[in-house]
Amino acid sequence: MDGARRHDDPAVNVYFHTFGCKANQYDTEVVRQAFADQGAVLVDDPAVADLAVVNSCTVTHESETKLRRLVRRLGRQERRLETVVMGCAAALDDGTIAALPAVRAVVGGADPARVLRAAGFTASPPDPLTSPPDPLSALRRGATANGHAFPLSTQWRGSQGVRSRGWLKIQDGCDEHCTFCATTIARGRNRSRAIPELVAEAKALAGHHAEIVLTGVHIGTYGRDRATDPGREPGVDPEPPGLVDPRAGARGQSSLGELLEALIAAVPQVRFRLSSIEATEVET
């Protein structure tokens, strides 16, 4: 692939591989859908791909070693496969990843628009943290809410097969600045999605999944970054009470407990699971 793609160019076969956490896997699916919406063909076999997109992880040295090994292997294929590396390790790259064989671009983070541009596409899909992702048509995905298609469905296929659980990313980033963790540098500050947006996405997922996993980088801090949420009045606790941090209510913020209440009320037939939360962040 050379330069920007034109609308009349033949379809491109794109192979995706993900390292790391559930948040990374959610991000990959959003990017996958953005590519499919631009006419790319998503393939499970790199041998038939024209381009590879690899979502990287920087939590351990082992994950970065596996990333470099995979990128080198893709570059040694009979069909020399260009690779776009995205994600956390890409955000912290000092040039090591960019220097690997056949690396087309290194894109820090998981913005679908930036990954598309790096691959030679020109579309600019919305940021899933500020508006519901709309990368695939309802005809292909089969689940919509308010005219939007959402990123997870029973038809998500890949090296790990079809998933029985849906994943709902409720926030990204972290404000803790732990000295042993590179996540804050790689993913930035805490950014929470609005409750109405998450409820709409959960309703779409509920048509395909009996269980939805709430995921993110630091989900216990959900809502702390938001000055107010739409429809909330500072100092007024929501109804019913009991699961909300009173400090969040006083600030007009939503909490993880309030989000769970809203999700359970909207889709009571679904089991909600928390991917990871610290004991000190459980509301009482």
Side-chain angles (χ1 to χ4, degrees):
M1 295 178 60
D2 297 315
R5 288 182 45 77
R6 300 186 304 271
H7 289 295
D8 57 348
D9 286 341
V12 175
N13 292 345
V14 185
Y15 169 76
F16 287 83
H17 188 93
T18 305
F19 291 100
C21 62
K22 292 180 175 65
N24 258 20
Q25 295 178 43
Y26 181 102
D27 291 340
T28 297
E29 183 63 8
V30 173
V31 174
R32 278 169 56 93
Q33 292 181 30
F35 272 84
D37 194 48
Q38 298 304 311
V41 178
L42 310 181
V43 299
D44 295 332
D45 183 0
V48 298
D50 304 302
L51 174 75
V53 177
V54 179
N55 196 352
S56 62
C57 174
T58 192
V59 170
T60 66
H61 290 299
E62 182 181 1
S63 63
E64 295 187 25
T65 298
K66 290 180 178 179
L67 165 68
R68 294 191 294 270
R69 185 182 303 133
L70 172 66
V71 172
R72 291 191 184 99
R73 187 170 74 246
L74 293 174
R76 290 196 300 266
Q77 288 189 163
E78 185 175 348
R79 298 177 61 184
R80 188 173 182 270
L81 190 59
E82 287 191 327
T83 300
V84 174
V85 181
M86 58 178 279
C88 292
L92 303 178
D93 183 38
D94 60 1
T96 301
I97 298 174
L100 293 173
V103 170
R104 177 187 177 99
V106 177
V107 180
D111 179 7
R114 293 182 61 207
V115 180
L116 282 169
R117 286 195 296 269
F121 292 81
T122 57
S124 297
D127 182 349
L129 283 174
T130 57
S131 62
D134 187 17
L136 287 185
S137 70
L139 178 63
R140 280 193 294 233
R141 305 307 285 178
T144 62
N146 299 326
H148 292 282
F150 294 101
L152 302 182
S153 83
T154 53
Q155 297 307 308
W156 175 12
R157 296 183 181 275
S159 60
Q160 300 180 28
V162 176
R163 294 193 175 276
S164 59
R165 293 173 179 168
W167 289 341
L168 182 60
K169 186 177 177 183
I170 65 173
Q171 63 83 228
D172 202 349
C174 181
D175 294 333
E176 295 303 316
H177 304 287
C178 299
T179 56
F180 59 84
C181 181
T183 298
T184 300
I185 301 173
R187 286 192 174 261
R189 60 177 176 80
N190 181 27
R191 305 178 307 284
S192 304
R193 297 173 66 184
I195 287 180
E197 175 187 329
L198 292 168
V199 167
E201 186 169 341
K203 287 180 178 179
L205 291 170
H208 300 281
H209 301 281
E211 181 172 297
I212 295 175
V213 181
L214 305 190
T215 188
V217 174
H218 194 174
I219 66 172
T221 61
Y222 173 83
R224 296 182 187 177
D225 59 301
R226 303 179 68 85
T228 60
D229 268 343
R232 288 294 308 281
E233 297 181 19
V236 178
D237 287 333
E239 295 292 340
L243 292 179
V244 180
D245 181 348
R247 294 169 298 176
R251 294 190 298 265
Q253 295 171 308
S254 293
S255 67
L256 180 60
E258 185 182 355
L259 170 61
L260 284 168
E261 287 182 333
L263 291 171
I264 292 169
V267 279
Q269 73 276 20
V270 169
R271 178 190 302 110
F272 288 96
R273 179 186 296 267
L274 301 178
S275 58
S276 178
I277 186 170
E278 297 181 30
T280 55
E281 295 165 347
V282 176
E283 299 168 12
T284 58

